[in-house]
Amino acid sequence: NASLLGILQHPDGTVLKQLQPPPRGPREQEFYNKVYDSDCCDNILLELREYLPKYFGVWSPPTAPNDTYLKLEDVTRKFNKPCIMDVKIGQKSYDPYASAEKIQQQVSKYPLMEEIGFLVLGMRVYHVSSDSYETQNQHYGRSLTKETVKDGISKFFYSGCCLRKDVVAASIQKVEKILEWFEGQTQLNFYASSLLFVYEGSCQATTVRLSDVTLAEKRRVPKGLLSGGDVLEYNNNIHVINSTENGKIEASVSKGLSKFYALHKKACSKRHHSQLSLKVENLEQDNVWKTSTCIMQEHLNGNVLPQLEKVFYHVPAETKESANVEVRMIDFAHVFPSNTKDEGYIYGLKNLITVLQNILDN
C-alpha cells in the first residue's frame, strides 16, 4: 500500500521518507534531484523550491544500505502544537500512464475528484480547550461532498473554541502564490501530489508576538514560561540537535503507519525526545541552558523581553506579523514532464481557494 510508508524523525531537524518501490520512488527522487540540483539555473524550478520542503539528498542506514530514504525538511518542527492537514490536489489522482485497472481503483476511491479538484487525506487539529488533538483519516475526506466540503475543511481551522480566520487568510495567500507559479509554468504536470498545511495550534506564550510588549507583560511571559518549563524544553530541542550530530537515528520509527500519521506521531513525540535528553551533566555544558539562566537573571532586573527575543525568535520579523502558517507541496511520485499548463492541478487550487475564501467570508 503506497500510503504505508515509513517516515522517521531525524534528530537533526529532518524527516526520512522511505523511497517507494520503482517506478514511483526513483521518480520522486529524480524530481527532488532536478529541482535541487546545485547547477540549476531554471527560474521556474528555483522558485518552486520555495513551495517544497528543503531536500538534503538521500540517506541509507549503515545496517541496511539498500534501504533508501529521502532526507527532507521537517515542516512541523518549529511549531509547538502543530495542526496538520494533507490535501491531495488535482482532478485526476492517476497519472497518464496508469492502467485501466489503476484508473478504476483511483476513481472509485473518490468519484468527486474530477468535480471538486481536491481531496482531504487527513488532518490533525489541536484543541486548546481540551489540550488534545482531534484526528481525521482519509475516510473523513472521502465522505465530503460538494455541499459539505466547506464545513469539512473549516474543521481544520477550528481550535475547539474559535475559528482561526487569521490562519485561513494566511493559507489563502500561500495557496495563491503556488497558483501563480502553476499559471506561469508549462514544463511539469503533477498527479496525486498533496499540499501540506501546518499552523500553530497553541496560544501559549511561545506564539505571543514579542513586539506586542504589553500583551507579553500582561501574560507574564517569562515567569509563566520558566515555571512551566517551556523555555527549557524549547531550548532543549536545540540541545537535542547538538547532542546527536553523530547522526544516530534516535527516531520515532513509524513504519507501518501512513505517512500522515507518522508525521503526527513524530510531532507528539518531539516533547518526549527533548525530555529524554535532559541529562544534568549535559545541561552544565549547554550554552542554551545558560541562556535560560540568563533569562532568569534578566527577569530579576526587569529586562526580560530582549532576552526572550534572542532565545525564541530566530525567524524574520515579517513572519511573526501574520499567522504562522506553512503550506508546502509534497509527494512527487507522479510528476511528469509536460509542454502544457497543469490544468487539473490549477482547477483544484482555484476550487480550494474558493472554499477557503467562503470559510473566511461566512
Side-chain angles (χ1 to χ4, degrees), residues 23-288:
R24 289 169 304 169
R27 203 187 287 133
E28 182 162 37
Q29 184 184 346
E30 191 188 335
F31 169 80
Y32 275 113
N33 284 339
K34 180 177 171 169
V35 176
Y36 283 94
D37 184 349
S38 54
D39 297 329
C40 175
C41 52
D42 177 339
N43 286 333
I44 297 283
L45 298 184
L46 292 173
E47 191 196 330
L48 178 59
R49 292 179 186 180
E50 289 176 43
Y51 312 121
L52 311 184
K54 291 189 184 72
Y55 171 63
F56 303 99
V58 292
W59 178 89
S60 295
T63 48
N66 294 332
D67 282 358
T68 307
Y69 294 82
L70 299 170
K71 206 166 187 308
L72 301 166
E73 170 190 10
D74 177 358
V75 181
T76 68
R77 186 180 184 85
K78 67 179 177 182
F79 297 95
N80 180 20
K81 300 283 186 190
C83 298
I84 305 168
M85 177 169 66
D86 184 337
V87 184
K88 190 192 278 192
I89 306 287
Q91 289 179 282
K92 297 182 168 74
S93 52
Y94 53 88
D95 67 49
Y97 305 97
S99 65
E101 188 186 2
K102 177 73 176 175
I103 293 172
Q104 179 53 43
Q105 178 217 4
Q106 285 299 318
V107 170
S108 64
K109 273 187 183 174
Y110 193 57
L112 289 169
M113 196 75 183
E114 190 87 29
E115 196 178 352
I116 294 179
F118 61 83
L119 166 64
V120 177
L121 291 179
M123 67 172 74
R124 175 174 187 274
V125 189
Y126 177 71
H127 285 178
V128 180
S129 43
S130 58
D131 185 27
S132 63
Y133 280 99
E134 182 185 348
T135 56
Q136 303 290 349
N137 63 18
Q138 50 187 319
H139 298 293
Y140 172 78
R142 285 191 219 148
S143 72
L144 299 177
T145 64
K146 248 177 33 170
E147 291 68 42
T148 61
V149 71
K150 179 191 146 202
D151 289 342
I153 282 195
S154 66
K155 209 182 198 38
F156 175 61
F157 302 101
Y158 182 70
S159 66
C161 56
C162 66
L163 184 68
R164 291 287 304 275
K165 290 203 165 188
D166 58 327
V167 177
V168 182
S171 299
I172 291 170
Q173 287 186 323
K174 301 253 175 182
V175 179
E176 279 175 341
K177 289 285 290 173
I178 293 172
L179 175 59
E180 268 176 48
W181 181 84
F182 271 90
E183 292 282 17
Q185 71 88 23
T186 55
Q187 54 176 291
L188 293 170
N189 280 4
F190 295 74
Y191 302 90
S193 184
S194 284
L195 289 183
L196 189 71
F197 291 76
V198 190
Y199 72 90
E200 179 56 70
S202 78
C203 54
Q204 285 185 331
T206 37
T207 61
V208 170
R209 283 201 341 243
L210 288 185
S211 52
D212 195 340
V213 175
T214 49
L215 180 59
E217 280 170 353
K218 255 186 220 149
R219 301 181 73 155
R220 303 181 65 84
V221 172
K223 206 169 184 179
L225 275 171
L226 286 167
S227 61
D230 273 20
V231 169
L232 304 187
E233 183 176 311
Y234 186 97
N235 294 333
N236 213 50
N237 283 333
I238 300 169
H239 168 72
V240 174
I241 304 166
N242 295 341
S243 65
T244 49
E245 267 167 1
N246 59 6
K248 275 211 316 244
I249 303 297
E250 293 169 14
S252 47
V253 179
S254 322
K255 262 196 178 154
L257 281 176
S258 79
K259 56 189 170 178
F260 192 62
Y261 292 104
L263 270 173
H264 302 164
K265 186 172 171 208
K266 169 193 59 61
C268 300
S269 65
K270 195 187 290 183
R271 171 165 296 200
H272 180 60
H273 278 310
S274 58
Q275 282 163 354
L276 284 180
S277 71
L278 243 171
K279 300 194 186 85
V280 176
E281 66 273 19
N282 289 347
L283 289 176
E284 278 150 19
Q285 67 211 14
D286 190 338
N287 292 333
V288 177

Side-chain angles (χ1 to χ4, degrees), residues 334-350:
H334 303 273
V335 179
F336 294 90
S338 161
N339 50 18
T340 59
K341 276 196 206 179
D342 189 340
E343 296 297 351
Y345 201 107
I346 288 172
Y347 176 91
L349 289 179
K350 285 181 173 172

